[in-house]
PDB file of all heavy atoms in Angstrom:
ATOM      1  N   GLY A  13      86.564 105.603  67.216  1.00  0.00           N
ATOM      2  CA  GLY A  13      86.711 104.214  66.783  1.00  0.00           C
ATOM      3  C   GLY A  13      87.432 104.132  65.451  1.00  0.00           C
ATOM      4  O   GLY A  13      87.984 105.116  64.978  1.00  0.00           O
ATOM      5  N   ASP A  15      88.408 104.304  61.717  1.00  0.00           N
ATOM      6  CA  ASP A  15      87.885 105.198  60.693  1.00  0.00           C
ATOM      7  C   ASP A  15      87.158 104.395  59.612  1.00  0.00           C
ATOM      8  O   ASP A  15      87.429 103.207  59.405  1.00  0.00           O
ATOM      9  CB  ASP A  15      89.017 106.019  60.068  1.00  0.00           C
ATOM     10  CG  ASP A  15      90.049 105.154  59.381  1.00  0.00           C
ATOM     11  OD1 ASP A  15      90.454 104.134  59.974  1.00  0.00           O
ATOM     12  OD2 ASP A  15      90.435 105.475  58.245  1.00  0.00           O
ATOM     13  N   GLN A  42      90.454 114.014  67.384  1.00  0.00           N
ATOM     14  CA  GLN A  42      90.972 112.730  67.893  1.00  0.00           C
ATOM     15  C   GLN A  42      89.997 112.040  68.817  1.00  0.00           C
ATOM     16  O   GLN A  42      90.359 111.579  69.910  1.00  0.00           O
ATOM     17  CB  GLN A  42      92.325 112.953  68.586  1.00  0.00           C
ATOM     18  CG  GLN A  42      93.347 113.501  67.592  1.00  0.00           C
ATOM     19  CD  GLN A  42      94.664 113.790  68.226  1.00  0.00           C
ATOM     20  OE1 GLN A  42      94.738 114.595  69.157  1.00  0.00           O
ATOM     21  NE2 GLN A  42      95.708 113.177  67.717  1.00  0.00           N
ATOM     22  N   LYS A  72      89.962 113.408  62.788  1.00  0.00           N
ATOM     23  CA  LYS A  72      90.846 112.375  63.345  1.00  0.00           C
ATOM     24  C   LYS A  72      90.111 111.513  64.382  1.00  0.00           C
ATOM     25  O   LYS A  72      89.013 111.834  64.824  1.00  0.00           O
ATOM     26  CB  LYS A  72      92.106 112.993  63.963  1.00  0.00           C
ATOM     27  CG  LYS A  72      92.870 113.861  62.955  1.00  0.00           C
ATOM     28  CD  LYS A  72      94.347 113.779  63.089  1.00  0.00           C
ATOM     29  CE  LYS A  72      95.019 114.423  61.885  1.00  0.00           C
ATOM     30  NZ  LYS A  72      96.406 113.978  61.739  1.00  0.00           N
ATOM     31  N   SER A  73      90.731 110.395  64.670  1.00  0.00           N
ATOM     32  CA  SER A  73      90.156 109.465  65.631  1.00  0.00           C
ATOM     33  C   SER A  73      91.292 108.910  66.477  1.00  0.00           C
ATOM     34  O   SER A  73      92.466 109.069  66.137  1.00  0.00           O
ATOM     35  CB  SER A  73      89.412 108.337  64.913  1.00  0.00           C
ATOM     36  OG  SER A  73      88.738 107.525  65.844  1.00  0.00           O
ATOM     37  N   ASP A 159      93.142  86.730  39.293  1.00  0.00           N
ATOM     38  CA  ASP A 159      93.976  86.629  38.086  1.00  0.00           C
ATOM     39  C   ASP A 159      95.104  85.627  38.288  1.00  0.00           C
ATOM     40  O   ASP A 159      95.361  84.773  37.428  1.00  0.00           O
ATOM     41  CB  ASP A 159      94.587  88.002  37.741  1.00  0.00           C
ATOM     42  CG  ASP A 159      93.577  88.939  37.113  1.00  0.00           C
ATOM     43  OD1 ASP A 159      92.526  88.471  36.633  1.00  0.00           O
ATOM     44  OD2 ASP A 159      93.849  90.155  37.076  1.00  0.00           O
ATOM     45  N   THR A 160      95.790  85.746  39.421  1.00  0.00           N
ATOM     46  CA  THR A 160      96.894  84.835  39.703  1.00  0.00           C
ATOM     47  C   THR A 160      96.374  83.431  39.992  1.00  0.00           C
ATOM     48  O   THR A 160      96.943  82.431  39.549  1.00  0.00           O
ATOM     49  CB  THR A 160      97.719  85.358  40.904  1.00  0.00           C
ATOM     50  OG1 THR A 160      98.277  86.625  40.558  1.00  0.00           O
ATOM     51  CG2 THR A 160      98.844  84.403  41.270  1.00  0.00           C
ATOM     52  N   GLN A 162      93.773  82.032  38.837  1.00  0.00           N
ATOM     53  CA  GLN A 162      93.412  81.413  37.558  1.00  0.00           C
ATOM     54  C   GLN A 162      94.641  81.004  36.762  1.00  0.00           C
ATOM     55  O   GLN A 162      94.659  79.954  36.117  1.00  0.00           O
ATOM     56  CB  GLN A 162      92.614  82.414  36.713  1.00  0.00           C
ATOM     57  CG  GLN A 162      91.137  82.441  37.000  1.00  0.00           C
ATOM     58  CD  GLN A 162      90.454  81.158  36.585  1.00  0.00           C
ATOM     59  OE1 GLN A 162      90.224  80.288  37.423  1.00  0.00           O
ATOM     60  NE2 GLN A 162      90.156  81.029  35.309  1.00  0.00           N
ATOM     61  N   ALA A 163      95.664  81.855  36.781  1.00  0.00           N
ATOM     62  CA  ALA A 163      96.873  81.553  36.001  1.00  0.00           C
ATOM     63  C   ALA A 163      97.542  80.283  36.505  1.00  0.00           C
ATOM     64  O   ALA A 163      98.149  79.544  35.732  1.00  0.00           O
ATOM     65  CB  ALA A 163      97.844  82.733  36.052  1.00  0.00           C
ATOM     66  N   PHE A 164      97.428  80.026  37.797  1.00  0.00           N
ATOM     67  CA  PHE A 164      98.124  78.884  38.390  1.00  0.00           C
ATOM     68  C   PHE A 164      97.175  77.774  38.845  1.00  0.00           C
ATOM     69  O   PHE A 164      97.624  76.814  39.456  1.00  0.00           O
ATOM     70  CB  PHE A 164      98.967  79.346  39.589  1.00  0.00           C
ATOM     71  CG  PHE A 164     100.235  80.036  39.204  1.00  0.00           C
ATOM     72  CD1 PHE A 164     100.252  81.393  38.929  1.00  0.00           C
ATOM     73  CD2 PHE A 164     101.414  79.325  39.073  1.00  0.00           C
ATOM     74  CE1 PHE A 164     101.427  82.036  38.570  1.00  0.00           C
ATOM     75  CE2 PHE A 164     102.589  79.950  38.707  1.00  0.00           C
ATOM     76  CZ  PHE A 164     102.598  81.318  38.445  1.00  0.00           C
ATOM     77  N   ASP A 165      95.881  77.918  38.593  1.00  0.00           N
ATOM     78  CA  ASP A 165      94.901  76.939  39.095  1.00  0.00           C
ATOM     79  C   ASP A 165      95.139  76.681  40.568  1.00  0.00           C
ATOM     80  O   ASP A 165      95.203  75.543  41.020  1.00  0.00           O
ATOM     81  CB  ASP A 165      95.002  75.634  38.304  1.00  0.00           C
ATOM     82  CG  ASP A 165      94.688  75.818  36.841  1.00  0.00           C
ATOM     83  OD1 ASP A 165      93.793  76.630  36.528  1.00  0.00           O
ATOM     84  OD2 ASP A 165      95.326  75.161  36.009  1.00  0.00           O
ATOM     85  N   GLY A 266      90.468 104.726  51.502  1.00  0.00           N
ATOM     86  CA  GLY A 266      90.014 104.952  50.134  1.00  0.00           C
ATOM     87  C   GLY A 266      88.828 105.882  50.079  1.00  0.00           C
ATOM     88  O   GLY A 266      88.093 106.060  51.056  1.00  0.00           O
TER      89      GLY A 266
ATOM     90  N   GLY D  13     106.749  81.151  35.219  1.00  0.00           N
ATOM     91  CA  GLY D  13     107.069  81.911  36.428  1.00  0.00           C
ATOM     92  C   GLY D  13     105.851  82.655  36.942  1.00  0.00           C
ATOM     93  O   GLY D  13     104.727  82.405  36.508  1.00  0.00           O
ATOM     94  N   ASP D  15     102.924  85.123  37.419  1.00  0.00           N
ATOM     95  CA  ASP D  15     102.185  85.884  36.407  1.00  0.00           C
ATOM     96  C   ASP D  15     102.403  87.375  36.635  1.00  0.00           C
ATOM     97  O   ASP D  15     102.697  87.812  37.745  1.00  0.00           O
ATOM     98  CB  ASP D  15     100.699  85.539  36.433  1.00  0.00           C
ATOM     99  CG  ASP D  15     100.047  85.908  37.749  1.00  0.00           C
ATOM    100  OD1 ASP D  15     100.641  85.604  38.805  1.00  0.00           O
ATOM    101  OD2 ASP D  15      98.959  86.506  37.738  1.00  0.00           O
ATOM    102  N   GLN D  42     100.313  76.154  30.827  1.00  0.00           N
ATOM    103  CA  GLN D  42     100.906  75.948  32.158  1.00  0.00           C
ATOM    104  C   GLN D  42     102.422  75.939  32.124  1.00  0.00           C
ATOM    105  O   GLN D  42     103.069  75.054  32.681  1.00  0.00           O
ATOM    106  CB  GLN D  42     100.365  74.665  32.783  1.00  0.00           C
ATOM    107  CG  GLN D  42      98.862  74.782  33.010  1.00  0.00           C
ATOM    108  CD  GLN D  42      98.245  73.528  33.552  1.00  0.00           C
ATOM    109  OE1 GLN D  42      98.368  72.469  32.935  1.00  0.00           O
ATOM    110  NE2 GLN D  42      97.563  73.653  34.669  1.00  0.00           N
ATOM    111  N   LYS D  72      98.157  80.271  31.058  1.00  0.00           N
ATOM    112  CA  LYS D  72      98.427  79.782  32.412  1.00  0.00           C
ATOM    113  C   LYS D  72      99.934  79.620  32.659  1.00  0.00           C
ATOM    114  O   LYS D  72     100.748  79.659  31.740  1.00  0.00           O
ATOM    115  CB  LYS D  72      97.699  78.455  32.679  1.00  0.00           C
ATOM    116  CG  LYS D  72      96.181  78.589  32.460  1.00  0.00           C
ATOM    117  CD  LYS D  72      95.374  77.765  33.384  1.00  0.00           C
ATOM    118  CE  LYS D  72      93.898  78.164  33.297  1.00  0.00           C
ATOM    119  NZ  LYS D  72      93.152  77.710  34.460  1.00  0.00           N
ATOM    120  N   SER D  73     100.260  79.481  33.912  1.00  0.00           N
ATOM    121  CA  SER D  73     101.653  79.313  34.303  1.00  0.00           C
ATOM    122  C   SER D  73     101.696  78.279  35.412  1.00  0.00           C
ATOM    123  O   SER D  73     100.660  77.919  35.982  1.00  0.00           O
ATOM    124  CB  SER D  73     102.247  80.645  34.779  1.00  0.00           C
ATOM    125  OG  SER D  73     103.623  80.522  35.026  1.00  0.00           O
ATOM    126  N   ASP D 159      94.965 106.961  54.549  1.00  0.00           N
ATOM    127  CA  ASP D 159      93.761 107.550  55.143  1.00  0.00           C
ATOM    128  C   ASP D 159      93.649 107.195  56.619  1.00  0.00           C
ATOM    129  O   ASP D 159      93.376 108.063  57.463  1.00  0.00           O
ATOM    130  CB  ASP D 159      92.506 107.047  54.409  1.00  0.00           C
ATOM    131  CG  ASP D 159      92.320 107.710  53.057  1.00  0.00           C
ATOM    132  OD1 ASP D 159      92.936 108.769  52.812  1.00  0.00           O
ATOM    133  OD2 ASP D 159      91.554 107.180  52.237  1.00  0.00           O
ATOM    134  N   THR D 160      93.837 105.912  56.915  1.00  0.00           N
ATOM    135  CA  THR D 160      93.748 105.479  58.301  1.00  0.00           C
ATOM    136  C   THR D 160      94.935 105.990  59.107  1.00  0.00           C
ATOM    137  O   THR D 160      94.783 106.430  60.259  1.00  0.00           O
ATOM    138  CB  THR D 160      93.687 103.936  58.370  1.00  0.00           C
ATOM    139  OG1 THR D 160      92.510 103.497  57.702  1.00  0.00           O
ATOM    140  CG2 THR D 160      93.639 103.455  59.813  1.00  0.00           C
ATOM    141  N   GLN D 162      96.577 108.682  58.694  1.00  0.00           N
ATOM    142  CA  GLN D 162      96.328 110.092  58.983  1.00  0.00           C
ATOM    143  C   GLN D 162      95.266 110.275  60.054  1.00  0.00           C
ATOM    144  O   GLN D 162      95.375 111.153  60.911  1.00  0.00           O
ATOM    145  CB  GLN D 162      95.847 110.807  57.705  1.00  0.00           C
ATOM    146  CG  GLN D 162      96.943 111.291  56.807  1.00  0.00           C
ATOM    147  CD  GLN D 162      97.752 112.406  57.422  1.00  0.00           C
ATOM    148  OE1 GLN D 162      98.823 112.154  57.980  1.00  0.00           O
ATOM    149  NE2 GLN D 162      97.250 113.630  57.347  1.00  0.00           N
ATOM    150  N   ALA D 163      94.216 109.468  59.972  1.00  0.00           N
ATOM    151  CA  ALA D 163      93.128 109.617  60.942  1.00  0.00           C
ATOM    152  C   ALA D 163      93.622 109.352  62.355  1.00  0.00           C
ATOM    153  O   ALA D 163      93.123 109.930  63.321  1.00  0.00           O
ATOM    154  CB  ALA D 163      91.968 108.681  60.592  1.00  0.00           C
ATOM    155  N   PHE D 164      94.600 108.461  62.481  1.00  0.00           N
ATOM    156  CA  PHE D 164      95.070 108.057  63.804  1.00  0.00           C
ATOM    157  C   PHE D 164      96.478 108.547  64.119  1.00  0.00           C
ATOM    158  O   PHE D 164      97.035 108.175  65.142  1.00  0.00           O
ATOM    159  CB  PHE D 164      95.032 106.533  63.935  1.00  0.00           C
ATOM    160  CG  PHE D 164      93.652 105.990  64.151  1.00  0.00           C
ATOM    161  CD1 PHE D 164      92.811 105.696  63.096  1.00  0.00           C
ATOM    162  CD2 PHE D 164      93.169 105.798  65.434  1.00  0.00           C
ATOM    163  CE1 PHE D 164      91.533 105.216  63.291  1.00  0.00           C
ATOM    164  CE2 PHE D 164      91.894 105.309  65.648  1.00  0.00           C
ATOM    165  CZ  PHE D 164      91.072 105.019  64.566  1.00  0.00           C
ATOM    166  N   ASP D 165      97.083 109.339  63.213  1.00  0.00           N
ATOM    167  CA  ASP D 165      98.491 109.746  63.408  1.00  0.00           C
ATOM    168  C   ASP D 165      99.354 108.532  63.752  1.00  0.00           C
ATOM    169  O   ASP D 165     100.136 108.550  64.698  1.00  0.00           O
ATOM    170  CB  ASP D 165      98.600 110.789  64.545  1.00  0.00           C
ATOM    171  CG  ASP D 165      97.838 112.054  64.220  1.00  0.00           C
ATOM    172  OD1 ASP D 165      97.818 112.449  63.038  1.00  0.00           O
ATOM    173  OD2 ASP D 165      97.238 112.640  65.130  1.00  0.00           O
ATOM    174  N   GLY D 266      95.282  92.113  38.399  1.00  0.00           N
ATOM    175  CA  GLY D 266      94.629  93.335  37.961  1.00  0.00           C
ATOM    176  C   GLY D 266      94.898  93.639  36.502  1.00  0.00           C
ATOM    177  O   GLY D 266      95.854  93.143  35.909  1.00  0.00           O
TER     178      GLY D 266
END
Side-chain angles (χ1 to χ4, degrees):
Chain A
D15 62 315
Q42 298 178 301
K72 304 217 168 199
S73 186
D159 284 342
T160 298
Q162 275 293 98
F164 283 85
D165 298 323
Chain D
D15 63 314
Q42 297 177 303
K72 303 215 169 199
S73 186
D159 284 343
T160 298
Q162 275 293 98
F164 284 87
D165 298 324

